[in-house]
Amino acid sequence: MSNRSNYIFTSESVSEGHPDKVCDRISDAVVDAYFAEDPFSRVAVETMTTTNQISIAGEVRGPDSINAERIEEIARQSVKAIGYEQEGFHWKNANVDVYVHQQSADIAQGVDAGENKEEGAGDQGIMFGYACNETEDLMPAPIYYSHKILKDMAQERHSNANSIFEPDAKSQVTLEYKDGKPVRALSVVVSTQHIEGVSQEEIREKVRPFVANVLPEGWMCEEDKFYVNPTGQFIIGGPDGDAGLTGRKIIVDTYGGAAPHGGGAFSGKDPTKVDRSAAYASRYLAKNIVASGIADKCVIQVSYAIGVSQPLSIYVDMGGTHQVAPEKVEALIPQIMDLSPRGIREHLELNKPIYERTAAYGHFGRKPEADGGFSWERTDLAEKIKSYFSA
């Protein structure tokens, strides 16, 4: 989180068809399947993909009806929804191996609530949340626009049977900041998998409106800094072109490098895993702090010990933009939200099948949904925070 006034900053995104994102989606689809049948399931599932191969491993505690055959079908349907029907990676023809077993009893005894024990964190670790007022969704602008370019391209691919785009794609946006605010794009990179038989120039012109329509008016970079498939043709892509793993795109999933990251991935984990739930809670609190108007940007760090309910520490940094002392905000946070795993889960209603949709285009900066999806993007605490400090 830069305190400089004038600088250049870059973030990247990857599409739902990127090999790592294919894995994230499968892992989160498994989480959703468990939660649809038992909202108190425990799930920690990882996926690996390569040429016509999908391997799923992990530990679970939940309904027996979700067996290896069911998990295999979940994986195939996730890949089908992304759009992979290629010779080297096909939802129907890929080999699927499932190595999922019951959760360790040692972990369970440390995490589960008991007669005289509150539910503990599923692991030790540090988690960060961030928000800033650069965009309407209170996200850093470079990652926000990087996501939006790819999401719009994917929507065109799904809705247009004659689209030249294939599922795998990456974007990268470099913005110039003046007086701490983004003012224009200095360069934009988009690499997209495509059908055979189209020229580089045709691909460039197909991509152009998706960039121009996403960036604010007057922000488009110079022509020689607009890079589309700069290495040449991109026909072989997805898991056929590069192996994928769950949890390998944690900066894409969060703030594009504009804020710290604790290191833990999100996808494939139920909300007793504070890597996920506490990162969501930290984003929720940071977003509400910025939405309240007491700061232009905010970083929050929380830390946990495995089996211990309450966080060991809470840290707030508002990058010199604060109207209220950070230590006062730190003192307020436990009063407005219970940051135990149970408290987070209940406050944000996380025990629902709402995770597959998070697997691409970022876990943050999304719109809260009627069924509870992206509940951590609500700003329902902003007025309470504002009134507390204006009293």
Side-chain angles (χ1 to χ4, degrees):
M1 187 176 71
S2 178
N3 289 326
R4 293 167 56 191
S5 295
N6 302 315
Y7 57 96
I8 297 167
F9 197 82
T10 302
S11 295
E12 70 157 348
S13 180
V14 298
S15 73
E16 64 200 57
H18 185 280
D20 298 330
K21 285 287 139 201
V22 173
C23 295
D24 285 345
R25 181 163 183 163
I26 292 169
S27 295
D28 274 339
V30 173
V31 174
D32 282 357
Y34 274 96
F35 275 11
E37 296 195 17
D38 178 359
F40 297 100
S41 295
R42 298 287 170 80
V43 187
V45 169
E46 313 289 343
T47 304
M48 187 278 288
T49 58
T50 186
T51 302
N52 269 332
Q53 175 66 45
I54 302 169
S55 299
I56 306 164
E59 56 181 32
V60 298
R61 191 171 77 206
D64 292 338
S65 57
I66 305 175
N67 52 24
E69 291 75 19
R70 178 90 175 273
I71 292 173
E72 176 181 339
E73 182 59 21
I74 289 166
R76 294 192 188 281
Q77 290 304 311
S78 294
V79 173
K80 183 180 182 181
I82 293 168
Y84 275 114
E85 296 186 346
Q86 300 169 3
E87 183 178 352
F89 195 70
H90 196 296
W91 68 271
K92 191 173 183 179
N93 302 331
N95 182 56
V96 181
D97 293 324
V98 179
Y99 308 99
V100 174
H101 58 85
Q102 289 296 303
Q103 183 189 51
S104 159
D106 289 348
I107 292 177
Q109 72 174 358
V111 175
D112 289 351
E115 185 176 343
N116 297 307
K117 177 182 176 298
E118 178 60 76
E119 176 185 305
D123 203 352
Q124 72 174 47
I126 57 173
M127 297 84 208
F128 287 92
Y130 180 61
C132 62
N133 58 10
E134 293 177 14
T135 62
E136 62 179 358
D137 289 317
L138 304 185
M139 285 289 287
I143 189 68
Y144 181 83
Y145 296 126
S146 296
H147 285 323
K148 189 74 165 62
I149 290 165
L150 295 185
K151 193 172 185 181
D152 287 356
M153 288 172 62
Q155 288 173 346
E156 193 272 347
R157 176 174 61 84
H158 285 298
S159 62
N160 178 8
N162 297 315
S163 176
I164 68 169
F165 300 141
E166 294 282 19
D168 194 0
K170 301 179 79 170
S171 65
Q172 185 170 284
V173 175
T174 299
L175 298 184
E176 179 181 10
Y177 284 72
K178 289 186 177 180
D179 298 324
K181 299 296 182 183
V183 296
R184 64 176 178 135
L186 294 183
S187 68
V188 176
V189 185
V190 178
S191 296
T192 180
Q193 188 184 16
H194 57 85
I195 63 173
E196 293 189 65
V198 293
S199 68
Q200 292 302 104
E201 186 58 29
E202 184 178 357
I203 296 165
R204 181 184 182 87
E205 293 312 308
K206 288 287 188 182
V207 168
R208 184 186 301 277
F210 293 98
V211 177
N213 292 338
V214 162
L215 293 175
E217 187 175 354
W219 279 35
M220 187 64 180
C221 61
E222 298 294 329
E223 190 64 18
D224 64 347
K225 300 298 183 183
F226 176 44
Y227 303 98
V228 177
N229 285 17
T231 61
Q233 74 173 21
F234 184 3
I235 295 170
I236 299 172
D240 188 28
D242 190 13
L245 291 169
T246 296
R248 202 159 56 174
K249 285 290 177 284
I250 58 176
I251 300 302
V252 171
D253 286 342
T254 54
Y255 309 104
H261 193 294
F266 301 157
S267 292
K269 299 176 181 178
D270 73 75
T272 65
K273 281 71 173 175
V274 283
D275 276 342
R276 180 169 222 162
S277 57
Y280 287 178
S282 298
R283 160 63 179 175
Y284 172 67
L285 289 164
K287 186 174 183 181
N288 276 273
I289 286 166
V290 173
S292 75
I294 67 168
D296 292 339
K297 53 187 173 182
C298 179
V299 165
I300 294 178
Q301 185 209 59
V302 292
S303 68
Y304 291 85
I306 188 167
V308 178
S309 173
Q310 291 295 328
L312 306 182
S313 65
I314 299 172
Y315 167 78
V316 173
D317 179 5
M318 294 179 280
T321 68
H322 53 277
Q323 299 177 18
V324 175
E327 55 268 27
K328 291 185 177 180
V329 179
E330 291 166 354
L332 174 64
I333 284 174
Q335 300 178 45
I336 59 175
M337 187 174 184
D338 177 359
L339 287 174
S340 69
R342 182 197 297 273
I344 294 170
R345 189 181 69 238
E346 292 179 350
H347 190 113
L348 298 178
E349 301 179 276
L350 296 179
N351 286 77
K352 294 180 177 180
I354 55 173
Y355 296 104
E356 185 176 3
R357 70 193 74 168
T358 69
Y361 314 116
H363 292 244
F364 308 129
R366 310 286 288 272
K367 302 295 185 187
E369 298 176 348
D371 66 350
F374 302 104
S375 61
W376 49 93
E377 291 297 310
R378 301 188 313 242
T379 53
D380 53 321
L381 293 181
E383 283 302 317
K384 181 181 291 188
I385 295 169
K386 182 179 180 179
S387 61
Y388 182 89
F389 289 114
S390 62

